[in-house]
Amino acid sequence: MIAAAVRIDVLSIFPSYFDGLTLSLLGKAQDAGILDLNVRDLRDWTYDRHRTVDDTPYGGGAGMVMKPEPWGVALDELATASERPTIIFPSPAGEVFTQATARDLATREHLIFGCGRYEGIDERVFEYADTVGEVRLISLGDYVLNGGEVATMAMIEAIGRLIPGVVGNPESLVEESHEDGLLEYPSYTKPSMWRDRAVPDVLLSGNHAAIATWRREQQLERTARRRPDLLSEQDD
Ligand code: SAM
């Protein structure tokens, strides 16, 4: 059964960044009507000759700030498409995006992403957006990007593949890194010997119980080695 379409609107001054989202699984999901992705140019909601979206910061300081007016009219229009959309502003000052965030957002019927540029967006836009939807400020990690577009693409890809029907075999989602708080076990394919490197014997044994045990051990070992913080989160 095909799930009802999840609507995702994106507001950006560089909409062509998102052309790549029509490729691969998310493109197929759009063709199949599972995902309704609309990327809009924020400048379509400017009303001056220069289609201005930024201005100098009050109080001084370097750089420019995105003006509130285009955001206000754009959000007014897009928010009417559902009862109470979830409005996500990518921000290095937001909560950190995780697989759990992706799982949560994949259950929503309407997401709006607002991509900041320059020094960011006038703070009042976040307050206003909270009156027309549920606002989330979400960071991709503790570093600063030039704009919200790349962060939004990463989030849409992580969320999109969790929407029922997007990934052909849902079982492939269950065993992935971060789904159970651990990193995924190592994967191998043919040939069984490549440049003097053999595939572990257990994977060729046909013994499913032994394979499951080996994979679990590998998950625990590599999580302890690469991401011990994930194991301590499980203990909390
Ligand atoms: N002045 C802002 C600050 O210090 O928090 C940074 C502005 S950044 C140059 C421009 C835009 O990039 C932000 O408004 C946000 O949309 C996006 N951005 C930058 N880093 C990000 C991150 N780690 N996660 C999500 N979005 C990010």
PDB file of all heavy atoms in Angstrom, residues 20 40 97 112 139 148 150 153 176 190 192 200 208 217 223:
ATOM      1  N   GLY A  20      19.452  17.911  -7.274  1.00  0.00           N
ATOM      2  CA  GLY A  20      19.914  16.539  -7.057  1.00  0.00           C
ATOM      3  C   GLY A  20      18.917  15.676  -6.303  1.00  0.00           C
ATOM      4  O   GLY A  20      19.001  14.445  -6.369  1.00  0.00           O
ATOM      5  N   ARG A  40      11.103  26.323  -3.283  1.00  0.00           N
ATOM      6  CA  ARG A  40      10.665  27.654  -3.700  1.00  0.00           C
ATOM      7  C   ARG A  40      11.748  28.684  -3.458  1.00  0.00           C
ATOM      8  O   ARG A  40      12.489  28.601  -2.474  1.00  0.00           O
ATOM      9  CB  ARG A  40       9.399  28.042  -2.899  1.00  0.00           C
ATOM     10  CG  ARG A  40       8.250  27.058  -3.009  1.00  0.00           C
ATOM     11  CD  ARG A  40       7.633  27.042  -4.390  1.00  0.00           C
ATOM     12  NE  ARG A  40       7.143  28.352  -4.765  1.00  0.00           N
ATOM     13  CZ  ARG A  40       5.915  28.801  -4.509  1.00  0.00           C
ATOM     14  NH1 ARG A  40       5.054  28.030  -3.876  1.00  0.00           N
ATOM     15  NH2 ARG A  40       5.549  30.007  -4.890  1.00  0.00           N
ATOM     16  N   PHE A  97      20.896  17.244  14.871  1.00  0.00           N
ATOM     17  CA  PHE A  97      20.106  16.277  14.099  1.00  0.00           C
ATOM     18  C   PHE A  97      20.654  14.868  14.306  1.00  0.00           C
ATOM     19  O   PHE A  97      21.860  14.642  14.168  1.00  0.00           O
ATOM     20  CB  PHE A  97      20.200  16.652  12.614  1.00  0.00           C
ATOM     21  CG  PHE A  97      19.318  15.845  11.715  1.00  0.00           C
ATOM     22  CD1 PHE A  97      17.950  16.045  11.686  1.00  0.00           C
ATOM     23  CD2 PHE A  97      19.859  14.904  10.861  1.00  0.00           C
ATOM     24  CE1 PHE A  97      17.131  15.320  10.834  1.00  0.00           C
ATOM     25  CE2 PHE A  97      19.049  14.172  10.004  1.00  0.00           C
ATOM     26  CZ  PHE A  97      17.680  14.379   9.999  1.00  0.00           C
ATOM     27  N   ILE A 112       8.255  22.221   6.508  1.00  0.00           N
ATOM     28  CA  ILE A 112       8.757  23.388   5.759  1.00  0.00           C
ATOM     29  C   ILE A 112      10.186  23.649   6.235  1.00  0.00           C
ATOM     30  O   ILE A 112      10.421  23.757   7.442  1.00  0.00           O
ATOM     31  CB  ILE A 112       7.888  24.642   6.013  1.00  0.00           C
ATOM     32  CG1 ILE A 112       6.437  24.395   5.609  1.00  0.00           C
ATOM     33  CG2 ILE A 112       8.462  25.849   5.259  1.00  0.00           C
ATOM     34  CD1 ILE A 112       5.485  25.554   5.960  1.00  0.00           C
ATOM     35  N   SER A 139      20.577  21.691  13.987  1.00  0.00           N
ATOM     36  CA  SER A 139      21.964  21.775  13.522  1.00  0.00           C
ATOM     37  C   SER A 139      22.410  20.434  12.955  1.00  0.00           C
ATOM     38  O   SER A 139      22.070  19.379  13.485  1.00  0.00           O
ATOM     39  CB  SER A 139      22.863  22.136  14.705  1.00  0.00           C
ATOM     40  OG  SER A 139      24.217  22.013  14.332  1.00  0.00           O
ATOM     41  N   GLY A 148      21.829  27.171   4.719  1.00  0.00           N
ATOM     42  CA  GLY A 148      21.049  26.032   5.201  1.00  0.00           C
ATOM     43  C   GLY A 148      20.759  24.979   4.141  1.00  0.00           C
ATOM     44  O   GLY A 148      20.165  23.941   4.449  1.00  0.00           O
ATOM     45  N   VAL A 150      22.660  22.803   2.217  1.00  0.00           N
ATOM     46  CA  VAL A 150      23.292  21.478   2.328  1.00  0.00           C
ATOM     47  C   VAL A 150      22.744  20.740   3.553  1.00  0.00           C
ATOM     48  O   VAL A 150      22.461  19.534   3.503  1.00  0.00           O
ATOM     49  CB  VAL A 150      24.829  21.621   2.368  1.00  0.00           C
ATOM     50  CG1 VAL A 150      25.489  20.312   2.746  1.00  0.00           C
ATOM     51  CG2 VAL A 150      25.342  22.097   1.006  1.00  0.00           C
ATOM     52  N   MET A 153      19.308  19.465   2.644  1.00  0.00           N
ATOM     53  CA  MET A 153      19.363  18.273   1.775  1.00  0.00           C
ATOM     54  C   MET A 153      19.696  17.029   2.578  1.00  0.00           C
ATOM     55  O   MET A 153      19.117  15.964   2.360  1.00  0.00           O
ATOM     56  CB  MET A 153      20.377  18.490   0.650  1.00  0.00           C
ATOM     57  CG  MET A 153      19.807  19.363  -0.433  1.00  0.00           C
ATOM     58  SD  MET A 153      20.743  19.228  -1.948  1.00  0.00           S
ATOM     59  CE  MET A 153      22.162  20.154  -1.509  1.00  0.00           C
ATOM     60  N   GLU A 176      20.629  -0.718  10.081  1.00  0.00           N
ATOM     61  CA  GLU A 176      21.617   0.309   9.767  1.00  0.00           C
ATOM     62  C   GLU A 176      22.219   0.941  11.019  1.00  0.00           C
ATOM     63  O   GLU A 176      21.666   0.869  12.111  1.00  0.00           O
ATOM     64  CB  GLU A 176      20.969   1.396   8.914  1.00  0.00           C
ATOM     65  CG  GLU A 176      20.807   0.912   7.494  1.00  0.00           C
ATOM     66  CD  GLU A 176      20.219   1.974   6.603  1.00  0.00           C
ATOM     67  OE1 GLU A 176      19.261   2.628   7.032  1.00  0.00           O
ATOM     68  OE2 GLU A 176      20.709   2.123   5.494  1.00  0.00           O
ATOM     69  N   LYS A 190      31.047 -10.271  -3.337  1.00  0.00           N
ATOM     70  CA  LYS A 190      31.977 -11.077  -4.145  1.00  0.00           C
ATOM     71  C   LYS A 190      33.028 -10.175  -4.796  1.00  0.00           C
ATOM     72  O   LYS A 190      32.718  -9.023  -5.079  1.00  0.00           O
ATOM     73  CB  LYS A 190      31.189 -11.827  -5.215  1.00  0.00           C
ATOM     74  CG  LYS A 190      30.200 -12.804  -4.615  1.00  0.00           C
ATOM     75  CD  LYS A 190      29.414 -13.477  -5.730  1.00  0.00           C
ATOM     76  CE  LYS A 190      28.245 -14.253  -5.149  1.00  0.00           C
ATOM     77  NZ  LYS A 190      27.192 -13.411  -4.576  1.00  0.00           N
ATOM     78  N   SER A 192      35.215 -13.508  -2.945  1.00  0.00           N
ATOM     79  CA  SER A 192      35.529 -13.818  -1.549  1.00  0.00           C
ATOM     80  C   SER A 192      37.004 -13.548  -1.231  1.00  0.00           C
ATOM     81  O   SER A 192      37.370 -13.405  -0.062  1.00  0.00           O
ATOM     82  CB  SER A 192      35.169 -15.272  -1.230  1.00  0.00           C
ATOM     83  OG  SER A 192      35.889 -16.132  -2.082  1.00  0.00           O
ATOM     84  N   PRO A 200      35.622 -12.713   5.914  1.00  0.00           N
ATOM     85  CA  PRO A 200      35.640 -13.566   7.111  1.00  0.00           C
ATOM     86  C   PRO A 200      34.906 -14.900   6.875  1.00  0.00           C
ATOM     87  O   PRO A 200      33.807 -14.913   6.305  1.00  0.00           O
ATOM     88  CB  PRO A 200      34.920 -12.720   8.164  1.00  0.00           C
ATOM     89  CG  PRO A 200      35.140 -11.311   7.715  1.00  0.00           C
ATOM     90  CD  PRO A 200      35.176 -11.343   6.213  1.00  0.00           C
ATOM     91  N   HIS A 208      23.497 -19.314  10.073  1.00  0.00           N
ATOM     92  CA  HIS A 208      22.865 -18.012  10.322  1.00  0.00           C
ATOM     93  C   HIS A 208      23.013 -17.536  11.749  1.00  0.00           C
ATOM     94  O   HIS A 208      23.189 -16.337  11.998  1.00  0.00           O
ATOM     95  CB  HIS A 208      21.383 -18.067   9.918  1.00  0.00           C
ATOM     96  CG  HIS A 208      21.213 -18.324   8.455  1.00  0.00           C
ATOM     97  ND1 HIS A 208      21.686 -17.461   7.499  1.00  0.00           N
ATOM     98  CD2 HIS A 208      20.676 -19.369   7.778  1.00  0.00           C
ATOM     99  CE1 HIS A 208      21.431 -17.945   6.299  1.00  0.00           C
ATOM    100  NE2 HIS A 208      20.829 -19.117   6.438  1.00  0.00           N
ATOM    101  N   GLU A 217      28.800  -8.883  17.551  1.00  0.00           N
ATOM    102  CA  GLU A 217      30.116  -8.606  18.166  1.00  0.00           C
ATOM    103  C   GLU A 217      30.833  -7.482  17.423  1.00  0.00           C
ATOM    104  O   GLU A 217      31.438  -6.598  18.027  1.00  0.00           O
ATOM    105  CB  GLU A 217      30.995  -9.866  18.133  1.00  0.00           C
ATOM    106  CG  GLU A 217      30.584 -10.929  19.141  1.00  0.00           C
ATOM    107  CD  GLU A 217      31.231 -12.289  18.851  1.00  0.00           C
ATOM    108  OE1 GLU A 217      32.041 -12.410  17.888  1.00  0.00           O
ATOM    109  OE2 GLU A 217      30.893 -13.229  19.588  1.00  0.00           O
ATOM    110  N   THR A 223      31.682   0.071  17.549  1.00  0.00           N
ATOM    111  CA  THR A 223      31.075   1.214  18.240  1.00  0.00           C
ATOM    112  C   THR A 223      31.959   1.630  19.418  1.00  0.00           C
ATOM    113  O   THR A 223      32.206   2.823  19.628  1.00  0.00           O
ATOM    114  CB  THR A 223      29.645   0.879  18.733  1.00  0.00           C
ATOM    115  OG1 THR A 223      28.880   0.375  17.639  1.00  0.00           O
ATOM    116  CG2 THR A 223      28.954   2.106  19.292  1.00  0.00           C
TER     117      THR A 223
END
